[in-house]
Amino acid sequence: LKLALSHTRGFTEQVLSEFKHPQDWIRRASPNSNHAIWIAGHILYAENFFTGLVDPSQKQDFSKYASLFGKGSSLADNLDNYPSPEEILQLLKDQRKIFREVLNNCTEEDFQRKIEDGPAFMFDVAAVFQMSVWHESLHCGQLTVIHRSLGNSPLADRAN
């Protein structure tokens, strides 16, 4: 799980680091698809939700982001409607530090602890961490389509 979290976030951060211009952050791959600022904010918002399922004492108050990045939120095509990309990127780093700490504090028994207030498919602590990796990977796939539409080469094609 630690390796999966590291690899997924590393890839997400690398893709996002190549969004250089303000308009890059609100570019959509197709008319009804997500843009990068929403994807980054949504990953942040969701990871905080996952954190709260495992350790409610570590959940941040992101209620001000619910209408921007929560499930069912509507996307705006004006970057001024969102926190700055720099703020979102920093919050992503801060939230990942908290989430990793929550993971590091888990015992083998904790991974089997049932989740009471989450979706049915996140039935125990281990499933929450697995879902967090899946969720970010899904949205990072969306980012890569935008990344390519901006003229960037695929990260996987580059020399190490």
Side-chain angles (χ1 to χ4, degrees), residues 32-97:
N32 293 315
S33 63
N34 300 322
H35 49 55
I37 196 69
W38 184 87
I39 294 168
H42 180 69
I43 291 169
L44 166 70
Y45 189 80
E47 188 166 277
N48 186 55
F49 171 75
F50 299 143
T51 299
L53 289 176
V54 178
D55 184 350
S57 72
Q58 295 300 315
K59 185 175 183 182
Q60 306 298 299
D61 180 7
F62 284 170
S63 57
K64 67 182 179 181
Y65 298 128
S67 65
L68 295 174
F69 305 122
K71 186 175 181 181
S73 57
S74 297
L75 278 70
D77 288 320
N78 183 343
L79 194 56
D80 293 337
N81 290 42
Y82 296 96
S84 71
E86 296 79 17
E87 180 180 347
I88 293 296
L89 292 171
Q90 185 59 55
L91 287 169
L92 275 168
K93 288 179 190 212
D94 296 344
Q95 181 60 45
R96 178 47 58 98
K97 185 176 178 184

